[in-house]
Amino acid sequence: FMREALEASAPGDVEAMNLIGLMYVLGAQVPIDYSKAVDWFQKAIDGGSASAMHNLAQMYLYGIGVPRDYTNAFRWFQRSAAYGNVHSMYSAAVMAENGLGTARDLRVSRALYHDAAESGFAPAMVRVSDELARGAAKRDLVEAYAWLQIASQSELPQELQIVALSRMEGLGARLGPDRRNDARARATHIVAAIKARVRPSA
């Protein structure tokens, strides 16, 4: 497998380069070598790989193969997010919300959570719902319920699935039957918009 990845990377396959970097991080078919991983991620980044940008950001975030550097981590998450990587959108949002590697900026974090949610990333949907329920920017319980419904039907870590279902129950009780139906209809519209947004271009 390593041979195939190396052969693919020779003509400039950036995702093959990113994969080789991951193999060095994980010690898959090669000895763990974080320096080589960083080198391969950088090669992939030079070719425009958003996944490699995300992986390099994580190296900086956790201090793997490079000195821990939250500023660089945030910068690479942001760059990866700009290319549409939903995991990077979420990570950059968390960092901006907590002032890690950047000045605390709730406007930036809110926008990134929304971008990730609208790109189909379920954990971000839970954050967006929470913001709408609390009225951090605007209060909209119907929209909050709709986002939770979509998240609960998506791939969520088990602990977050429990949180989503619990909050849905609480919001549902506050909304009542008619507004719950409005929220379900709204969820259908949101799902259609997400599918249209993330559909691969022909």
Side-chain angles (χ1 to χ4, degrees), residues 49-55 57 74-89:
S49 169
S51 297
M53 293 174 195
H54 179 81
N55 291 330
F74 180 74
R75 181 169 66 90
W76 283 113
F77 280 136
Q78 268 199 318
R79 285 189 62 181
S80 177
Y83 278 88
N85 186 296
V86 293
H87 296 277
S88 285
M89 292 175 196

Side-chain angles (χ1 to χ4, degrees), residues 21-80:
L22 281 173
M23 291 171 78
Y24 276 116
V25 169
L26 301 172
Q29 301 186 31
V30 290
I32 289 174
D33 190 324
Y34 298 133
S35 294
K36 285 184 179 178
V38 170
D39 288 344
W40 279 105
F41 289 147
Q42 191 61 63
K43 287 178 184 178
I45 287 167
D46 292 343
S49 169
S51 297
M53 293 174 195
H54 179 81
N55 291 330
L56 185 61
Q58 288 191 305
M59 302 287 272
Y60 278 115
L61 181 63
Y62 297 111
I64 301 170
V66 291
R68 177 172 283 177
D69 185 333
Y70 294 134
T71 301
N72 257 328
F74 180 74
R75 181 169 66 90
W76 283 113
F77 280 136
Q78 268 199 318
R79 285 189 62 181
S80 177

